[in-house]
Amino acid sequence: MSTETPVYEARGVTKQYGNVLALDNADFAVRAGEVVGLVGDNGAGKSTLVKALSGAHTPDSGQMYLDGEEVRWQSPHQALEAGIETLYQDSSLAPELTVSANVFLGREEVVPGFWGKLGFLANKRMDEVSRQELQKVGIAVPSSTRSIAKLSGGQRQAVAIGRAVSWASKVIILDEPTNHLGARQSAEVLEVIKHAKSRGLAVIFISHTLPHVLEVTDRIVVLRLGKVSVDAPTSDFTPDSLVKAITGLNGVA
């Protein structure tokens, strides 16, 4: 685990929806080359924190820092442009399109010259770049020209994460990436997360599947009732102690 200054940090973030205090003065940080697990019961504040970090919601108070500089996102696109990629439970893949078309979705490249001005896409180049980028993160897709619909569930999720890893320059936020996947498919996804870490990305891993959290993370942050109740190295936890931290049975409010 890196000991460097956090690449992305939230300090004292608070967010309220009507009478519901979703986040209460929460602190969170992740460093380059570190995988941080974000866990908690339903309603603990995980989704709200993710939306703040991804630029989807603006906190009522508190500050966020990217590479030590304070940031105030006006939109998710602004966070995206700054190098923060977010993959929600719905991977937003287009099943009828090819793997490469999904990797470049919203970032399509056109051929040079006259034909590019008419909107002709550089499909051959995008196919090759997609194949190379997915290989870098350990994804063995039979062909970048195969449609997403023809892939297994694990391969689809791996492609979605691979796309995010390929485009992220600083931080990748993964919201329940192994949800509804079998053991073998989940293992494929966890390997992609390890590759993202090896590339020096800061990874935020949100999951209810605690064995996956314990396997792939360096540090675990537990949210409870909108507050950070525990922030400790993964090595400090056992499956039992992590459950107790999430449910509040460890004596921490």
Side-chain angles (χ1 to χ4, degrees), residues 30-41:
V30 61
R31 295 165 177 80
E34 180 185 38
V35 182
V36 176
L38 180 60
V39 301
D41 275 338

Side-chain angles (χ1 to χ4, degrees), residues 63-79:
Q63 299 81 38
M64 294 191 298
Y65 298 86
L66 184 66
D67 286 333
E69 297 289 331
E70 186 172 0
V71 291
R72 292 183 179 274
W73 308 127
Q74 302 302 312
S75 68
H77 182 74
Q78 191 178 27

